[in-house]
Amino acid sequence: MKKVERALISVFDKKGIVEFAKILTDEFKVEILSTGGTSKLLKSNNINVVNIAEYTQSPEIFDGRVKTLHPRIEGGILLRRNNTQDLQEAQKYDIQPIDMVVCNLYNFKDKIIEPKISLQEALEMIDIGGPTMIRAAAKNFHDVVVVSNPDHYPKLIKEMRENGGISSQTRAILAQEVFFKMAEYNAIIANFLQSFHNPKVTFGSKMIKVYEKVQDCRYGENWDQSAAYYKDLSMDEGLHTIKKVSGKEISFNNYLDIDSCMQILLDLDNSYYTTAILKHTSPNGVAIDKNDQLKSVKMAFKTDPMSAFGGIWGLNKPVSKKIADFIVNKEKIFIEVLMAPSFDPEALNILKQKETMILLEFGDFLSRRNKFYNNPELRSVLGGILAQEYDTKPVIKNWRVVSNRNVDETEKEALIFAYIVSKWAKSNSACFVQTYEDGVYTIGIGAGQQSRVHVVKLAVQKAIEFGHKKELQDSLMGTDSFFPFPDGLEVAVEAGAKAIINPGGSIRDELVIKKANELNCALVFCDKRVFRH
Amino acid sequence: MKKVERALISVFDKKGIVEFAKILTDEFKVEILSTGGTSKLLKSNNINVVNIAEYTQSPEIFDGRVKTLHPRIEGGILLRRNNTQDLQEAQKYDIQPIDMVVCNLYNFKDKIIEPKISLQEALEMIDIGGPTMIRAAAKNFHDVVVVSNPDHYPKLIKEMRENGGISSQTRAILAQEVFFKMAEYNAIIANFLQSFHNPKVTFGSKMIKVYEKVQDCRYGENWDQSAAYYKDLSMDEGLHTIKKVSGKEISFNNYLDIDSCMQILLDLDNSYYTTAILKHTSPNGVAIDKNDQLKSVKMAFKTDPMSAFGGIWGLNKPVSKKIADFIVNKEKIFIEVLMAPSFDPEALNILKQKETMILLEFGDFLSRRNKFYNNPELRSVLGGILAQEYDTKPVIKNWRVVSNRNVDETEKEALIFAYIVSKWAKSNSACFVQTYEDGVYTIGIGAGQQSRVHVVKLAVQKAIEFGHKKELQDSLMGTDSFFPFPDGLEVAVEAGAKAIINPGGSIRDELVIKKANELNCALVFCDKRVFRH
């Protein structure tokens, strides 16, 4: 148990500091050393404070750039209380032990996101004395209590009241926190300087990422892998802002699917009514209706009712009682995760009957698309990581109808829809869609194939198997990369496709166009590939 | 251009420091301040040095815990040379400017991986004075040159000789390096303390990752995404140790496939001869031969010759002239990446004719399996990251033959092989294999499907399409999770499977077992799922 007799207090965030200091002095007779603004604040609250400059007999200089960087301060912190030689030296040079360091830093992160900050202003914000004190205190946590976060004051007071001091375990945790904070603090500065000096470089020579755990997962992709979900501390927005309303714990694989599902919804026009159903990170049914959310649910479900069971369902508009009824009472569909901006109370009553079903409310998530893509997308490879910009550019780079047959506006919209769904199905992918009076929906989605022709065949087969043979007639198809040979296109047209979109770019594009013309199929090249693995 | 008149030198890594200091003093008349070991070394090399303790008139105390933490030092570094008030204060308190700080730190990382290090020893290694000086110098880089890495000495000397001082650009880069170093240094300490205090916790409350760029990729998964490959600085081993022998630049998508391919090879018995062919991160042909690498190449190629074109090929034994001949001259296969421990010179001559083909030599990579899996596998989701232990446990947790029909040793080996291939094919996956005299090979692989029965159908179709209908008779199949219904098993047996492996665990396991018995199929449950998304 560490008894505190002398504390140094120097804080940027002054929250709770007056109360804390008052209790330290009044109740525990702690001597308080302080500097600048903190000192003034405490004194004006009638707290007895010794100014550092008096204490060290060394003035605060250079606008406060140097104030605590003094042997009487750092020595008082670093002194090993169980080391005879240290104690003798301390006595000889009149260094008094400092038992507690209460210090938090300028919020560099908030400062540098100000749009017009100059380099000089940013540099001025870099704290040198503070980090030195808290790192020294953390290193010497066997003898020193380091408090780098105002949130800790109440529990420290509680501990002191109960035990007369601060336990070794608490001191260790506080010390650990300091090194994480310092890593993060320096990383923010380093990343800032890197991008300040190389504003055009997306990927600098170093990359430092700091994460905070949101949730331990019961297991990872498989039952014998431990796993966790962390938020990126450089991002305010993300999946962690989505609210769970009901249901069992969100699993690792759920998170993968939730992520894909949200990104599909972010990619589609939010003024319509959309439903996206996924499993194993690929969509197996997506529909857009111009007027009615229930209709879009029905159309998306219809694509592949088998895979929709146990799937992840995302709706871009609130869930009504009718929708809940359709799912729970009419079709009796087992859904793993159901996500929407909100749930009507009556809908919630019905859905909550299914106790394990995970209901997620994502509020205005879809209106904040630009917030989610500031950081690169990362993926481990052995010993390292692949980083890339998220694929956020419009899926149509150029709209080039390369066939003799053209498409009308409805067909164009349907093709773009097919292409977006194909983007989110694992590569290689292909997606057949059909229009109806008020919307468009998928009728066959193929994913994860190693050749173009096979994935088209697969999409056709699935469409037929789930009763969409008729809808294949005059259907529209998108596929995520070019046709290396005309065979994939042939399969699609034979199945009934009247229009196809892909990026183009094969050395055999001419052959593919020729085949499209022979078969009277509209063919659009959009110059943007949409692989996703 | 910053002229250097006074430098502070205090280094743990003494490499090159004597030569550097000699040039500073002899050629540029720099006054050198130094401490402890560095000071001794320089003096013994007849370099004129002022000891810090003399300079500050403050003793080095607590075994060197406090030596440079003094206003005359930190003030000398932090002094703003263009600020009148700073200059007046500096004069008043006799603070001389320090224009260069040469300082590197204890290698905490190497120290803490020593198996028996005590907490106290580790804490003693945490440097306080060094980080303070270099951070102060980096903050004030407009006026100070900070050198935290011995590798920079020659180019700094060169710059001083050419221009009489150090340019602003160089000073900025050096400063940036300091903050990256400090982020990493503090992260290592934080991670060490976290795992020291919670040795059983795989995923602590914070996670900090530091990466160094190995390569900019021309683009990411698609042409309009910028991308890069970074190594994890906490790992010595990884894909970055693989040597490119020939061919075009390795792309982002290549890295994804190379990673999967190496992991398949790491999972299979390295005493045999193995070939694995992949595309879009899923295998499309894998074979093991007990005696002959060429044979394994032929058998793996045979599975799906169409997808093998443009694929990533990995061999676990050296590439001979015969193999090169088979690929380049006999079958004329276009291969994107060919990886092996090494290439015979004659093989290389043949393969290099294909100028774009990427040839990678991975040496004894496969003997170092345990080196690659120390860190979690990471994957971005919006605003955060999913972290999990790599799936490295044996794919067979329990070998439970649950059917009446049993399997012999050859069949058992073949089933395990099928299951490993299924592990690496994207979920849901299914893999049919057949044995031959000296080995086992894939005849149909299905990947990336949203339902179990569809992926089995897909694997069967592909086997038939590529001419393996006969080999389906008495084939063996692995699939990466349980059958939710007996239908998937029925499809497999109808196609010819005599034995099937999967983890089991469905609520309808009994129905599946009953069906297996009805159809006289051997069924093994191994209690370990092998999803991979």
Side-chain angles (χ1 to χ4, degrees):
Chain A
M1 205 53 57
K2 174 70 196 177
K3 197 169 174 310
V4 177
E5 297 184 349
R6 185 172 295 102
L8 190 158
I9 304 183
S10 174
V11 290
F12 176 72
D13 178 355
K14 308 240 169 358
K15 187 179 81 178
I17 195 63
V18 171
E19 298 71 15
F20 186 53
K22 216 182 251 303
I23 295 171
L24 287 180
T25 50
D26 294 359
E27 208 168 311
F28 298 98
K29 312 300 170 204
V30 173
E31 179 186 9
I32 291 180
L33 313 178
S34 190
T35 64
T38 310
S39 174
K40 260 185 224 160
L41 176 69
L42 297 183
K43 281 180 179 165
S44 73
N45 280 277
N46 298 316
I47 297 168
N48 208 4
V49 169
V50 180
N51 270 340
I52 296 271
E54 290 165 40
Y55 186 78
T56 58
Q57 300 189 317
S58 184
E60 204 171 289
I61 53 172
F62 308 161
D63 276 339
R65 279 188 161 205
V66 180
K67 46 190 177 185
T68 59
L69 292 163
H70 191 281
R72 274 201 92 193
I73 301 298
E74 310 300 348
I77 298 170
L78 285 165
L79 167 69
R80 290 165 293 190
R81 277 66 162 175
N82 62 357
N83 182 305
T84 316
Q85 199 193 317
D86 277 20
L87 291 171
Q88 283 168 357
E89 288 177 352
Q91 195 167 22
K92 187 169 166 192
Y93 300 109
D94 192 21
I95 293 171
Q96 306 290 330
I98 295 170
D99 311 309
M100 179 183 270
V101 173
V102 185
C103 175
N104 58 61
L105 312 178
Y106 290 130
N107 195 339
F108 193 82
K109 191 163 112 183
D110 288 353
K111 188 73 187 170
I112 55 163
I113 55 170
E114 289 174 15
K116 283 184 187 167
I117 190 166
S118 72
L119 178 59
Q120 199 49 48
E121 283 172 303
L123 290 175
E124 224 32 76
M125 297 296 290
I126 299 174
D127 196 336
I128 305 298
T132 302
M133 285 194 296
I134 58 175
R135 289 185 77 252
K139 171 185 171 106
N140 208 21
F141 76 83
H142 284 315
D143 290 315
V144 183
V145 184
V146 57
V147 193
S148 60
N149 182 343
D151 296 343
H152 297 326
Y153 303 153
K155 61 180 179 242
L156 292 173
I157 291 296
K158 186 163 178 278
E159 207 175 315
M160 287 170 80
R161 282 178 178 158
E162 280 169 11
N163 308 314
I166 303 297
S167 72
S168 152
Q169 201 198 347
T170 301
R171 296 196 309 273
I173 291 169
L174 292 171
Q176 190 176 303
E177 183 180 345
V178 164
F179 291 109
F180 275 118
K181 261 191 209 294
M182 292 319 305
E184 187 188 358
Y185 185 73
N186 285 297
I188 293 165
I189 297 170
N191 287 332
F192 166 76
L193 290 177
Q194 184 167 264
S195 55
F196 188 91
H197 287 113
N198 307 287
K200 285 182 187 163
V201 175
T202 312
F203 294 106
S205 61
K206 290 276 183 87
M207 181 168 63
I208 301 188
K209 302 296 298 174
V210 186
Y211 300 104
E212 186 175 271
K213 192 162 68 181
V214 175
Q215 185 201 312
D216 278 306
C217 300
R218 257 186 308 161
Y219 45 80
E221 276 187 280
N222 299 296
W223 311 313
D224 50 358
Q225 291 167 270
S226 63
Y229 164 47
Y230 288 82
K231 69 175 173 177
D232 183 330
L233 284 184
S234 69
M235 304 269 290
D236 297 322
E237 303 269 354
L239 296 189
H240 50 276
T241 61
I242 296 177
K243 191 179 142 202
K244 195 176 93 175
V245 179
S246 172
K248 62 181 180 181
E249 193 181 295
I250 304 171
S251 75
F252 183 95
N253 289 327
N254 289 158
Y255 272 117
L256 278 181
D257 285 331
I258 290 167
D259 183 61
S260 294
C261 188
M262 288 313 298
Q263 293 199 65
I264 295 177
L265 294 181
L266 285 168
D267 260 6
L268 292 168
D269 187 340
N270 200 29
S271 60
Y272 297 144
Y273 296 81
T274 306
T275 301
I277 307 176
L278 285 90
K279 208 183 243 173
H280 297 291
T281 73
S282 280
N284 51 53
V286 187
I288 291 182
D289 190 279
K290 291 193 175 162
N291 306 306
D292 183 15
Q293 185 69 67
L294 175 60
K295 187 75 198 252
S296 90
V297 167
K298 286 179 178 171
M299 299 309 273
F301 174 58
K302 192 175 145 177
T303 311
D304 175 355
M306 185 188 219
S307 301
F309 270 76
I312 305 317
W313 292 45
L315 281 60
N316 74 330
K317 294 282 186 304
V319 178
S320 64
K321 178 175 181 292
K322 276 185 189 170
I323 293 171
D325 254 336
F326 174 79
I327 292 169
V328 174
N329 298 322
K330 180 155 183 292
E331 295 289 340
K332 301 189 198 317
I333 311 164
F334 159 64
I335 290 182
E336 180 91 3
V337 177
L338 178 60
M339 307 195 281
S342 64
F343 296 85
D344 294 350
E346 289 172 305
L348 216 47
N349 281 340
I350 297 168
L351 293 165
K352 278 188 171 172
Q353 295 166 16
K354 301 285 168 194
E355 283 174 19
T356 59
M357 193 197 305
I358 298 168
L359 303 180
L360 301 180
E361 206 172 88
F362 57 73
D364 62 351
F365 196 100
L366 298 178
S367 67
R368 288 174 287 138
R369 186 176 197 267
N370 60 345
K371 299 275 188 184
F372 307 118
Y373 294 117
N374 301 328
N375 273 328
E377 187 175 21
L378 305 179
R379 186 152 170 181
S380 285
V381 290
L382 294 178
I385 204 142
L386 288 171
Q388 66 174 343
E389 288 182 305
Y390 270 98
D391 188 9
T392 54
K393 299 194 185 75
V395 295
I396 309 299
K397 188 177 174 193
N398 301 299
W399 180 263
R400 298 197 284 132
V401 179
V402 292
S403 57
N404 297 334
R405 179 168 174 169
N406 206 338
V407 294
D408 63 24
E409 273 307 304
T410 310
E411 288 167 336
K412 181 174 175 178
E413 271 189 51
L415 280 175
I416 295 173
F417 171 74
Y419 200 53
I420 290 175
V421 176
S422 179
K423 170 182 170 184
W424 289 102
K426 292 279 164 168
S427 303
N428 292 332
S429 65
C431 173
F432 286 84
V433 307
Q434 188 51 276
T435 54
Y436 63 98
E437 215 178 60
D438 292 319
V440 55
Y441 65 110
T442 53
I443 54 175
I445 304 170
Q449 295 313 296
Q450 296 96 329
S451 77
R452 185 84 18 216
V453 60
H454 283 99
V455 81
V456 177
K457 281 186 192 171
L458 179 65
V460 171
Q461 281 164 18
K462 290 180 73 177
I464 293 170
E465 176 169 353
F466 294 112
H468 311 306
K469 189 159 187 174
K470 208 171 134 202
E471 294 139 285
L472 276 171
Q473 290 319 306
D474 290 326
S475 62
L476 307 96
M477 190 197 80
T479 186
D480 62 350
S481 187
F482 58 68
F483 290 111
F485 300 93
D487 55 358
L489 180 135
E490 277 182 278
V491 171
V493 178
E494 207 172 286
K498 66 176 172 182
I500 293 173
I501 184 168
N502 72 48
S506 161
I507 48 168
R508 295 189 197 83
D509 273 354
E510 283 311 314
L511 285 179
V512 176
I513 295 169
K514 195 169 158 241
K515 182 60 73 179
N517 286 334
E518 265 174 46
L519 301 174
N520 190 30
C521 175
L523 182 62
V524 180
F525 287 170
C526 62
D527 293 339
K528 165 152 179 59
R529 192 172 76 186
V530 288
F531 270 168
R532 184 161 178 88
H533 294 97
Chain B
M1 203 56 54
K2 174 70 196 176
K3 195 166 176 311
V4 177
E5 298 184 350
R6 185 173 295 102
L8 189 158
I9 304 183
S10 173
V11 290
F12 175 72
D13 179 353
K14 310 244 169 352
K15 190 179 80 177
I17 194 62
V18 171
E19 296 71 16
F20 186 54
K22 215 182 253 306
I23 294 171
L24 288 180
T25 50
D26 294 0
E27 208 168 312
F28 298 98
K29 311 300 170 204
V30 173
E31 180 186 10
I32 291 181
L33 313 177
S34 189
T35 64
T38 309
S39 173
K40 259 185 222 158
L41 175 68
L42 297 183
K43 282 181 179 166
S44 73
N45 281 278
N46 298 316
I47 296 168
N48 209 5
V49 169
V50 179
N51 269 340
I52 297 271
E54 289 165 41
Y55 186 78
T56 58
Q57 301 189 315
S58 183
E60 201 171 290
I61 53 171
F62 309 161
D63 277 339
R65 280 188 161 206
V66 180
K67 45 191 180 188
T68 59
L69 292 162
H70 191 280
R72 276 203 88 195
I73 300 298
E74 311 301 348
I77 298 170
L78 284 166
L79 167 68
R80 289 165 294 190
R81 275 68 162 176
N82 62 355
N83 182 304
T84 317
Q85 199 192 319
D86 276 20
L87 290 171
Q88 283 168 354
E89 288 177 351
Q91 195 167 21
K92 184 169 170 194
Y93 301 110
D94 192 21
I95 292 171
Q96 307 290 329
I98 294 170
D99 312 307
M100 178 183 269
V101 173
V102 185
C103 175
N104 58 62
L105 313 178
Y106 291 130
N107 194 337
F108 192 83
K109 190 162 114 184
D110 288 354
K111 188 71 187 174
I112 55 163
I113 56 169
E114 289 174 15
K116 282 183 188 168
I117 190 167
S118 72
L119 178 60
Q120 199 48 48
E121 283 172 302
L123 292 174
E124 224 31 77
M125 298 295 291
I126 298 174
D127 197 336
I128 306 297
T132 301
M133 286 193 296
I134 58 175
R135 289 186 77 253
K139 172 185 171 104
N140 208 20
F141 76 84
H142 284 315
D143 290 314
V144 183
V145 184
V146 58
V147 192
S148 62
N149 180 344
D151 296 344
H152 298 325
Y153 303 154
K155 61 180 180 244
L156 292 173
I157 290 297
K158 186 162 176 280
E159 207 175 314
M160 287 171 79
R161 281 178 178 157
E162 281 169 9
N163 308 316
I166 303 297
S167 71
S168 153
Q169 200 198 350
T170 302
R171 297 197 307 275
I173 292 169
L174 292 170
Q176 189 176 304
E177 183 180 346
V178 163
F179 290 109
F180 276 119
K181 260 191 209 293
M182 291 319 304
E184 186 187 0
Y185 185 73
N186 285 298
I188 293 165
I189 296 170
N191 286 332
F192 167 77
L193 290 177
Q194 183 166 266
S195 56
F196 189 91
H197 288 114
N198 308 287
K200 285 181 186 161
V201 175
T202 311
F203 294 107
S205 61
K206 290 277 183 86
M207 181 168 64
I208 301 189
K209 302 296 297 175
V210 186
Y211 299 104
E212 187 175 273
K213 192 163 67 180
V214 175
Q215 185 200 312
D216 278 306
C217 300
R218 257 184 309 161
Y219 46 81
E221 275 185 281
N222 300 297
W223 312 313
D224 51 357
Q225 291 167 271
S226 64
Y229 164 48
Y230 287 82
K231 70 175 175 178
D232 182 331
L233 284 182
S234 70
M235 304 268 291
D236 297 322
E237 304 269 354
L239 296 190
H240 50 275
T241 62
I242 296 177
K243 190 179 143 201
K244 193 175 94 174
V245 180
S246 173
K248 62 181 180 183
E249 194 181 294
I250 304 171
S251 74
F252 183 95
N253 289 325
N254 288 159
Y255 272 117
L256 277 181
D257 285 332
I258 289 167
D259 184 61
S260 294
C261 188
M262 288 313 298
Q263 294 199 64
I264 295 178
L265 295 180
L266 284 166
D267 259 7
L268 292 167
D269 186 339
N270 200 29
S271 61
Y272 298 144
Y273 296 82
T274 306
T275 300
I277 306 176
L278 285 90
K279 208 183 245 171
H280 297 293
T281 74
S282 279
N284 52 51
V286 187
I288 292 182
D289 190 281
K290 291 194 175 160
N291 306 305
D292 183 15
Q293 185 69 66
L294 176 59
K295 187 75 198 248
S296 89
V297 167
K298 287 179 178 173
M299 299 309 275
F301 174 58
K302 194 175 143 176
T303 311
D304 175 354
M306 184 187 219
S307 301
F309 271 76
I312 303 321
W313 293 46
L315 281 61
N316 72 330
K317 295 284 189 299
V319 177
S320 64
K321 177 174 180 297
K322 276 185 189 170
I323 293 172
D325 255 335
F326 174 79
I327 293 170
V328 175
N329 298 321
K330 184 157 179 293
E331 296 287 342
K332 302 189 198 315
I333 311 165
F334 159 63
I335 290 182
E336 179 92 3
V337 177
L338 178 59
M339 306 195 281
S342 65
F343 296 84
D344 294 350
E346 289 172 305
L348 216 47
N349 282 340
I350 297 168
L351 293 166
K352 278 187 172 173
Q353 295 167 17
K354 301 285 167 194
E355 282 173 20
T356 59
M357 193 197 306
I358 297 168
L359 303 179
L360 301 179
E361 204 171 271
F362 58 74
D364 62 350
F365 196 100
L366 298 178
S367 67
R368 289 175 287 139
R369 185 177 198 269
N370 60 345
K371 299 275 187 182
F372 306 117
Y373 293 117
N374 300 328
N375 274 329
E377 188 175 19
L378 304 179
R379 188 155 171 177
S380 285
V381 290
L382 293 178
I385 203 144
L386 288 170
Q388 65 173 344
E389 288 182 306
Y390 270 98
D391 188 11
T392 55
K393 299 193 185 76
V395 295
I396 308 300
K397 187 176 176 195
N398 300 299
W399 181 263
R400 297 198 284 131
V401 180
V402 292
S403 57
N404 296 333
R405 179 169 173 169
N406 206 337
V407 293
D408 63 25
E409 272 307 304
T410 310
E411 289 167 338
K412 181 175 175 176
E413 271 187 53
L415 280 174
I416 295 174
F417 171 74
Y419 200 53
I420 290 175
V421 176
S422 179
K423 170 181 170 184
W424 290 101
K426 292 279 164 170
S427 303
N428 291 328
S429 66
C431 173
F432 285 84
V433 305
Q434 188 50 277
T435 55
Y436 63 98
E437 215 178 59
D438 292 320
V440 56
Y441 65 110
T442 53
I443 54 176
I445 304 171
Q449 296 314 296
Q450 295 97 324
S451 79
R452 186 84 18 215
V453 61
H454 283 99
V455 80
V456 177
K457 280 184 192 169
L458 179 66
V460 171
Q461 281 164 17
K462 290 180 71 175
I464 292 169
E465 176 169 353
F466 294 111
H468 310 306
K469 188 160 188 175
K470 209 172 134 200
E471 295 140 284
L472 277 171
Q473 290 317 306
D474 290 327
S475 62
L476 306 96
M477 190 198 79
T479 186
D480 63 349
S481 187
F482 58 68
F483 291 111
F485 299 94
D487 55 357
L489 180 134
E490 276 182 278
V491 172
V493 177
E494 207 172 285
K498 66 177 173 182
I500 292 172
I501 184 168
N502 72 49
S506 160
I507 48 167
R508 296 187 196 85
D509 273 354
E510 283 312 313
L511 285 179
V512 176
I513 295 169
K514 193 167 158 247
K515 184 57 74 179
N517 286 334
E518 264 174 47
L519 301 174
N520 190 31
C521 175
L523 181 62
V524 180
F525 286 171
C526 63
D527 293 340
K528 166 158 177 52
R529 192 173 73 185
V530 288
F531 270 168
R532 184 162 179 86
H533 294 95

